[in-house]
């Protein structure tokens, strides 16, 4: 029972005491307020802490870096390339370089569908099921690594192993998207490899 005074109002014959809030409750409330200020400064003002989406990105990048490091010491295989293509951080890096206007996008279009500024570009549509040089991960890797310079597709190996791997990972992510775009090249063969 409380010694506090009764409040003056009555609801349906029920009265209530004018109790103080318990100290434990008040302290947990004040500490929550203080905590929220610290939290705001740490995560939002100073940006020292990583919020969950950033922490996720960091983890993704670390996973991608581990696979890329493993690839640097091993021969490139179909499995390795498919593994890379399943790492969102690697595909995102590949997308960045692919879409750089001075790199792949100038001939294959930023979407990879062979359309550059609304017109068919120099390079083929990389999202359809028709491939000139084969559609396995190793075929695509070889095309980007060695190129077919006599046909207008440069060799990109000079940009380094990581560049070629990231570009391959991105092209693999385009494979089978079938975006509306440049029609298949005459010398391309239909092939739909298992993903
Ligand atoms: C100067 C224009 C040009 C640039 C830049 C270019 N490509 Fe190509 N690419 C081509 C052409 C042309 C072909 C078709 C070659 C052929 O007919 O044999 C091709 C073919 C390809 C193919 C094989 C398509 C198939 O059907 O087998 C892939 C994969 C590819 N390019 C990826 C890339 C990537 C990735 C980049 C950027 C790192 C890039 N290309 C940059 C012009 C270009």
């Amino acid at each position: 029972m409380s010694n506090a005074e009764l409040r003056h109002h009555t609801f349906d014959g029920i009265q209530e005491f004018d109790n103080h809030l318990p100290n434990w409750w008040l302290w947990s409330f004040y500490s929550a307020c203080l905590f929220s200020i610290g939290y705001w400064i740490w995560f939002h003002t100073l940006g020292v802490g990583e919020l969950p989406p950033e922490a996720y990105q960091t983890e993704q990048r670390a996973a991608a870096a581990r696979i890329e490091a493993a690839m640097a010491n091993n021969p490139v295989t179909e499995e390795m390339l498919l593994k890379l293509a399943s790492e969102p951080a690697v595909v995102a890096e590949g997308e960045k370089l692919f879409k750089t206007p001075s790199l792949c996008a100038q001939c294959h279009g930023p979407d990879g569908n062979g359309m550059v500024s609304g017109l068919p570009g120099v390079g083929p549509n990389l999202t359809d099921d028709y491939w000139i040089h084969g559609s396995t991960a190793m075929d695509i890797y070889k095309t980007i690594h060695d190129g077919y310079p006599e046909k207008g597709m440069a060799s990109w190996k000079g940009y380094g192993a990581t560049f070629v791997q990231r570009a391959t990972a991105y092209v693999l992510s385009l494979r089978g998207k079938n975006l509306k775009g440049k029609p298949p090249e005459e010398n391309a063969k239909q092939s739909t490899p298992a993903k």
Side-chain angles (χ1 to χ4, degrees):
M1 284 300 280
S2 168
N3 303 325
E5 280 179 26
L6 273 177
R7 305 207 41 199
H8 294 302
H9 52 235
T10 311
F11 293 106
D12 292 340
I14 299 170
Q15 287 182 283
E16 60 177 343
F17 288 117
D18 193 7
N19 279 323
H20 285 293
L21 287 163
N23 282 342
W24 66 262
W25 190 94
L26 279 174
W27 281 115
S28 67
F29 175 68
Y30 294 144
S31 0
C33 293
L34 282 175
F35 177 80
S36 74
I37 296 171
Y39 181 95
W40 188 264
I41 294 176
W42 186 256
F43 285 101
H44 294 281
T45 312
L46 299 176
V48 185
E50 278 194 329
L51 289 167
E54 292 158 13
Y56 176 74
Q57 289 294 330
T58 308
E59 238 173 68
Q60 292 280 307
R61 277 197 292 271
R66 275 197 301 277
I67 300 181
E68 286 188 339
M71 283 202 75
N73 302 320
N74 290 292
V76 177
T77 61
E78 183 80 12
E79 292 73 43
M80 276 297 214
L81 291 170
L82 290 176
K83 202 165 165 198
L84 269 188
S86 70
E87 280 301 328
V90 178
V91 174
E93 289 298 327
E95 179 172 9
K96 258 190 252 163
L97 60 90
F98 191 93
K99 292 192 167 168
T100 304
S102 59
L103 300 174
C104 325
Q106 62 169 308
C107 297
H108 294 283
D111 299 328
N113 62 349
M115 300 300 284
V116 182
S117 311
L119 294 168
V122 176
N125 184 341
L126 301 175
T127 72
D128 61 15
D129 291 335
Y130 293 84
W131 297 83
I132 306 167
H133 301 292
S135 63
T136 68
M138 281 305 275
D139 290 336
I140 292 170
Y141 176 82
K142 186 181 178 306
T143 302
I144 300 171
H145 189 268
D146 300 334
Y148 293 92
E150 70 289 355
K151 310 282 281 306
M153 169 65 186
S155 155
W156 296 87
K157 63 169 177 271
Y159 282 71
T162 308
F163 179 100
V164 176
Q165 286 163 15
R166 288 175 176 175
T168 306
Y170 184 61
V171 174
L172 287 172
S173 79
L174 295 176
R175 201 173 58 164
K177 264 192 168 179
N178 285 303
L179 298 182
K180 218 166 145 259
K182 196 178 172 193
E185 310 297 315
E186 273 170 18
N187 53 345
K189 284 192 277 302
Q190 188 168 17
S191 61
T192 40
K195 292 231 163 170

